[in-house]
Amino acid sequence: MAESDAPAPQDPSSSVRARFLRRRRDLAAPAETVDESLPRGVRLAGAWSWRLLVIGAVIAVAIFLIVQLRLIVIPVLIAVLLAALLVPFKDFLIRHRWPAWLAIVTTLVTLIVVVGGLFYLAIWQVTRQSHELQTQSVAAFDQFRAWLTTGPLGLTADQIDSTFQSIWTSLQQDSQVFISGALSIGSTLGHVATGALLTLFSVLFILIDGRSIWGWVVRVFPKSARSAVDGAGRAGWTTLRNFAKVQVLVASIDALGIGLGAFFLGLPLVIPIAVLVFLGSFIPIVGAVITGALAVFIALVFKGWVFALIMLGVVLLVQQIEGHVLQPLIMGTAVKVHPLAVVLAVAAGSLLAGIPGALFAVPFVAVLNVMVHYVSSGAWRDTPPVPVGAPPGAIWETVPRPLRRP
């Protein structure tokens, strides 16, 4: 090999300098942050987690406040539900040239007369036939007890007593949720009276100044969100009105069907049965069945097993008509909620708040579904912004305006 082709000897100082420069560049480069060192999936999961925790905390605080203020919240919710049913009637009277004050008074008087008349008829018939019902109940219980001892089961008196005691204890324990829900409206007569008056006054002011009240609520939100809140609220109000009208129709059909069944079977207390079925039908799916059990019990006490089975068949038939005809065809067109969501909402509402929770679960889910769909659709972006300013009327004015100097 030629001497000129031999590799040139490397300078040791240059290699040391190169390593020094590489080390200097590595030290000068910014260190990798913790977020950059984590996988993207972990970062997304963490971001979702803390946001969901904050949302859950807000919901928990809201539920806590509602529970603490239930003696106020429940009457107001009942008033909103009644107002959704009464406002169309008031608007109908105003469209036919009735004065506004007369239309409002007529609407309230109609509500009081109808509700009071139904309860008066029910209480009147119960008090008139209470002695007979008590006598027949004792006789039927004695017959059933005798059948348990002399029949094919051959139970002893001690076994029967212990069995009935355990059943009664279980019923007391399982009914605490419903009893607490019922007592949440008012544990004393004073609470009940206060709730009724609060409901009546709330309905009155919603009929008088509902638009101004809603305008005040909208103005609580930031200006950029007012169009979305206003549109979502109006869509939810329309859904609530449809729900109230359709639910009254469904409840009337349930009460008429079970009441006619009890009448043709010759059962007593037909009017109380129909009234209870009407009120219970406001809890979809299960309300008519639970209240219809009273008709089955009365048929068993007064007429025997055969009539009780016939009455049970009538109740189940009405429930099937409601579940397969009325709910899908009538309620489904007015309230866009899946039947599974209805069942789950009623179950969750009853567990959380007893009877009031089961009553308001379906309208709450229906209204929330429509409002969320409206906001997510972006239809509010095409609507003009809600005008800014103080709401009309002096109902929300807490500080008098200063007088203008001449």
Side-chain angles (χ1 to χ4, degrees):
M1 181 181 295
E3 185 177 357
S4 59
D5 296 336
Q10 295 182 354
D11 188 3
S13 61
S14 63
S15 61
V16 171
R17 180 178 178 83
R19 289 197 299 269
F20 174 76
L21 292 177
R22 285 197 303 270
R23 180 64 176 170
R24 186 176 180 179
R25 285 196 304 268
D26 294 339
L27 292 176
E32 187 179 17
T33 61
V34 177
D35 291 341
E36 294 176 350
S37 63
L38 294 175
R40 184 172 181 273
V42 176
R43 294 199 302 270
L44 289 176
W48 275 100
S49 298
W50 73 261
R51 287 175 172 85
L52 291 177
L53 288 175
V54 172
I55 294 173
V58 173
I59 294 175
V61 171
I63 293 176
F64 174 78
L65 293 177
I66 291 174
V67 171
Q68 296 300 316
L69 301 174
R70 59 187 178 274
L71 296 179
I72 299 176
V73 173
I74 292 177
V76 171
L77 292 179
I78 295 175
V80 172
L81 194 59
L82 290 175
L85 185 63
L86 297 177
V87 166
F89 180 63
K90 183 206 73 171
D91 295 339
F92 172 80
L93 295 179
I94 292 178
R95 286 197 303 269
H96 286 75
R97 302 183 182 278
W98 284 49
W101 67 269
L102 183 59
I104 294 172
V105 171
T106 303
T107 303
L108 287 179
V109 170
T110 303
L111 173 66
I112 295 173
V113 168
V114 171
V115 176
L118 290 177
F119 278 103
Y120 174 77
L121 290 175
I123 294 173
W124 171 74
Q125 192 171 21
V126 168
T127 55
R128 192 184 67 171
Q129 299 181 349
S130 59
H131 179 71
E132 182 182 1
L133 179 61
Q134 181 180 1
T135 304
Q136 291 290 338
S137 300
V138 173
F141 180 77
D142 292 338
Q143 292 176 1
F144 179 66
R145 185 185 180 92
W147 178 81
L148 290 177
T149 56
T150 60
L153 298 178
L155 300 177
T156 63
D158 294 337
Q159 291 175 337
I160 295 173
D161 292 337
S162 62
T163 302
F164 279 119
Q165 183 63 34
S166 62
I167 293 175
W168 177 251
T169 303
S170 300
L171 289 175
Q172 285 180 327
Q173 293 176 354
D174 295 338
S175 61
Q176 289 301 316
V177 174
F178 297 98
I179 293 175
S180 62
L183 293 180
S184 64
I185 301 177
S187 58
T188 63
L189 183 61
H191 287 164
V192 174
T194 303
L197 290 177
L198 181 59
T199 300
L200 185 61
F201 278 108
S202 299
V203 171
L204 175 63
F205 283 111
I206 291 175
L207 293 176
I208 293 175
D209 207 24
R211 296 182 184 274
S212 297
I213 295 174
W214 174 244
W216 180 86
V217 172
V218 172
R219 289 175 179 84
V220 173
F221 292 86
K223 183 178 179 181
S224 59
R226 290 175 184 173
S227 297
V229 172
D230 183 61
R234 294 179 185 276
W237 176 252
T238 302
T239 300
L240 186 62
R241 288 173 56 174
N242 294 335
F243 170 82
K245 291 186 294 186
V246 172
Q247 193 59 50
V248 168
L249 177 60
V250 173
S252 301
I253 295 175
D254 290 344
L256 182 63
I258 297 178
L260 286 177
F263 174 77
F264 287 120
L265 290 176
L267 302 183
L269 305 177
V270 175
I271 296 178
I273 290 173
V275 172
L276 286 178
V277 171
F278 177 79
L279 296 177
S281 297
F282 281 89
I283 302 176
I285 308 299
V286 298
V289 176
I290 294 176
T291 53
L294 175 63
V296 178
F297 172 76
I298 294 176
L300 177 63
V301 170
F302 281 87
K303 297 292 185 178
W305 289 97
V306 177
F307 285 86
L309 291 177
I310 296 175
M311 192 68 237
L312 178 61
V314 172
V315 172
L316 294 179
L317 177 62
V318 171
Q319 192 274 336
Q320 291 298 317
I321 293 175
E322 176 189 353
H324 294 86
V325 178
L326 299 180
Q327 290 289 345
L329 297 182
I330 301 178
M331 183 65 72
T333 58
V335 181
K336 304 297 183 181
V337 180
H338 195 274
L340 178 59
V342 172
V343 175
L344 295 178
V346 172
S350 61
L351 290 176
L352 291 176
I355 294 176
L359 175 63
F360 296 114
V362 177
F364 175 78
V365 170
V367 171
L368 182 64
N369 178 43
V370 171
M371 294 177 68
V372 171
H373 178 72
Y374 178 86
V375 173
S376 61
S377 66
W380 51 273
R381 294 187 177 91
D382 300 330
T383 59
V386 179
V388 182
I395 188 172
W396 299 106
E397 293 179 4
T398 56
V399 179
R401 295 179 181 179
L403 298 177
R404 294 183 180 180
R405 295 182 179 181

